[in-house]
């Protein structure tokens, strides 16, 4: 099982469990996570959702082999089902991040209500280095959180950043020791067992409503450009370089 799910004490946990591949996400894994979030959203006993990875790795992002074999195709692609499920979940979603959170491993955090990161966390959005563009509304939300200058460092240069920096710029709530972050996140999730559930849901909707349509529109626009970029010569060079374990050579492109 590469995605493990359980419901314990009102918390639906979704564990990314593919450590031998650095928790790289396949289409099947996206589908499983989407299904788990949707099930949690409608389960009366669930008051919150907890997403976490393995010790030392949250997720390294898309599995490029699976990504190339099964490219995103249309709005029903599993990755978009996952995005819609996370966006549409009206219950609190808490993420616990240890180690690397690459690509969508970082952009999904923008849509969680609470994010706790370990002191070994390393976040990055290296889309441009793969000949691609930002996704999951990160081109909208990252500049809003960080300002355009620091967003350019993260989205154009793809500079990695620490858990402390994630807290500073508003992506995360707090930094904790790596061995404590998941348990702390679970304790926060369990606090919703003592709160009025419909009041929580309505409050979350109110907080998200002013920008909800803009976020959806941004995701759609990003996806169209992202899909076109996947077929671009720059992306092909980047993917070949990845598999050949070398640096991509973009010098021939204008």
């Amino acid at each position: 099982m590469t995605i493990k799910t359980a419901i314990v004490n009102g918390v639906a946990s979704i564990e990314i469990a593919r450590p031998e591949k650095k928790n790289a996400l396949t289409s099947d894994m996206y589908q499983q996570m989407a299904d788990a979030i949707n099930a949690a959203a409608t389960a009366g006993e669930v008051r919150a959702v907890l997403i976490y990875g393995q010790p030392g790795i949250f997720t390294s992002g898309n599995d490029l082999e699976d990504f190339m074999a099964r490219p995103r195709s249309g709005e029903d692609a599993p990755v978009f089902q996952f995005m819609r499920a996370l966006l549409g979940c009206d219950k609190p979603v808490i993420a616990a991040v240890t180690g690397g959170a690459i690509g969508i491993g970082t952009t999904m955090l923008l849509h969680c209500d609470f994010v706790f990161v370990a002191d070994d966390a390393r976040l990055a959005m290296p889309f441009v280095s793969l000949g691609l563009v930002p996704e999951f509304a990160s081109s909208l939300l990252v500049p809003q959180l960080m300002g355009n200058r620091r967003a350019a460092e993260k989205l154009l240069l793809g500079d990695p950043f620490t858990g402390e920096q994630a807290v500073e710029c508003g992506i995360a709530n707090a930094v904790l020791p790596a061995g404590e972050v998941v348990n702390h996140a679970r304790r926060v999730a369990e606090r919703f067992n003592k709160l009025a559930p419909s009041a929580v849901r309505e409050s979350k909707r109110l907080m998200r409503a002013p920008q909800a349509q803009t976020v959806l529109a941004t995701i759609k626009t990003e996806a169209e450009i992202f899909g076109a970029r996947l077929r671009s010569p720059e992306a092909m060079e980047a993917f070949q370089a990845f598999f050949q374990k070398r640096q991509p050579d973009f010098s021939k492109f204008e």
Side-chain angles (χ1 to χ4, degrees):
M1 291 288 291
T2 51
I3 299 295
K4 298 179 180 179
T5 62
I7 298 176
V8 178
N9 193 24
V11 177
S13 63
I14 300 172
E15 178 184 0
I16 308 170
R18 199 188 180 205
E20 71 281 2
K21 292 291 186 179
K22 296 184 179 179
N23 277 1
L25 297 168
T26 65
S27 292
D28 290 340
M29 293 167 72
Y30 279 122
Q31 187 66 62
Q32 292 173 52
M33 290 194 294
D35 293 344
I37 293 171
N38 288 331
T42 58
E45 72 271 29
V46 171
R47 297 298 181 91
V49 177
L50 172 63
I51 302 174
Y52 60 100
Q54 301 297 294
I57 184 69
F58 183 61
T59 173
S60 57
N62 288 306
D63 182 308
L64 286 185
E65 290 185 11
D66 179 82
F67 200 54
M68 295 183 72
R70 303 166 69 182
R72 299 177 177 187
S73 56
E75 295 183 0
D76 289 332
V79 64
F80 295 123
Q81 293 193 45
F82 166 69
M83 289 182 181
R84 286 196 297 271
L86 185 55
L87 279 174
C89 184
D90 59 2
K91 296 178 181 180
V93 179
I94 298 93
V97 178
T98 58
I102 311 302
I104 199 167
T106 292
T107 61
M108 75 167 74
L109 304 178
L110 303 170
H111 305 280
C112 296
D113 301 291
F114 299 83
V115 176
F116 299 101
V117 291
D119 50 15
D120 67 351
R122 196 75 166 167
L123 296 81
M125 295 173 283
F127 302 111
V128 170
S129 65
L130 291 171
L132 303 173
V133 296
E135 36 83 317
F136 215 169
S138 56
S139 64
L140 170 72
L141 299 175
V142 173
Q144 287 181 351
L145 285 170
M146 301 183 185
N148 287 335
R149 306 299 178 268
R150 285 193 291 177
E153 294 174 349
K154 308 303 186 291
L155 292 175
L156 299 184
L157 293 177
D159 285 353
F161 53 108
T162 65
E164 288 85 356
Q165 290 169 319
V167 171
E168 178 190 356
C169 70
I171 289 178
N173 294 80
V175 179
L176 296 104
E180 298 177 15
V181 65
V182 174
N183 286 336
H184 177 83
R186 185 177 294 280
R187 287 194 294 271
V188 171
E190 289 174 347
R191 289 178 61 183
F192 288 97
N193 289 323
K194 297 181 179 180
L195 294 171
S198 61
V200 169
R201 293 193 300 271
E202 293 295 343
S203 296
K204 177 172 176 174
R205 288 194 193 103
L206 287 168
M207 292 169 65
R208 302 260 174 151
Q211 198 166 229
Q213 293 305 312
T214 303
V215 168
L216 287 171
T218 302
I219 290 173
K220 185 176 186 295
T221 300
E222 289 172 341
E224 291 171 353
I225 300 172
F226 195 104
R229 294 295 312 168
L230 281 174
R231 300 183 292 275
S232 71
E234 291 177 348
M236 291 300 100
E237 164 61 18
F239 294 157
Q240 289 171 10
F242 176 84
F243 291 120
Q244 294 168 4
K245 294 181 167 52
R246 62 173 175 83
Q247 289 295 316
D249 179 10
F250 297 125
S251 61
K252 58 189 173 184
F253 302 109
E254 295 182 356

